[in-house]
Amino acid sequence: CSGSAVCDTPNDHLTFAGRLRVVGPRSFPMASQVRQCVSGLPCTVSGLIGSFEADDQLMATTACGEAPVPGFPRGGKTFPSTSSETGTWSWGVEPVRAAPGEYEICWCGMLVKQLSYRGGYNSTCVTDTDYTALVGYLRIKVATPFAVRECKLAYSCSISGVTGSYLDD
């Protein structure tokens, strides 16, 4: 559409200007992507749906663009993904020590970083405000410590009454 015209209908935009590629997580308004990890163990998430690139990163937070959840390794940020094919991110071998609950998983993309460098914005997936796109939710499960239970060697044994947060499966 030329600069002197009013550009408010599709017929005002008839010249091919290029292709638009939309990258990032696919959001489902009525069906969020939810993953689970266990407090006290390392955490890796995979199988997230979207258009991701190698070197994209995720952050666990209470709200995208805000501070990371305390108790996550690497300041809440994952290692960069190694492939655009697998969509797998890890916080490494260090265990998660976050409180049980449900947190937002937020995305910062490599392509976004490259475009920001060209545009002079310097987005490097370092600051909390670089992670603004909601991918889904991460549930941190934890068992409540309980009294010692005994089982005899070579006999059938059943333990019940284990309680905790998000232990439904």
Side-chain angles (χ1 to χ4, degrees), residues 1 7-8 12 14 23 26 34 61 67 77 88 100 117 123 127-128 130 143 146-147 149:
C1 184
C7 302
D8 57 0
D12 295 331
L14 299 177
V23 298
R26 184 171 299 161
V34 179
T61 182
K77 298 167 184 74
T88 298
Y117 289 141
S123 170
T127 66
D128 305 341
D130 292 331
F146 55 89
R149 312 246 170 106

Side-chain angles (χ1 to χ4, degrees), residues 91-113:
W91 280 269
V93 297
E94 188 179 331
V96 172
R97 301 280 183 215
E102 190 168 274
Y103 304 105
E104 290 188 0
I105 305 171
C106 304
W107 172 81
C108 181
M110 182 59 179
L111 185 58
V112 174
K113 289 191 284 188

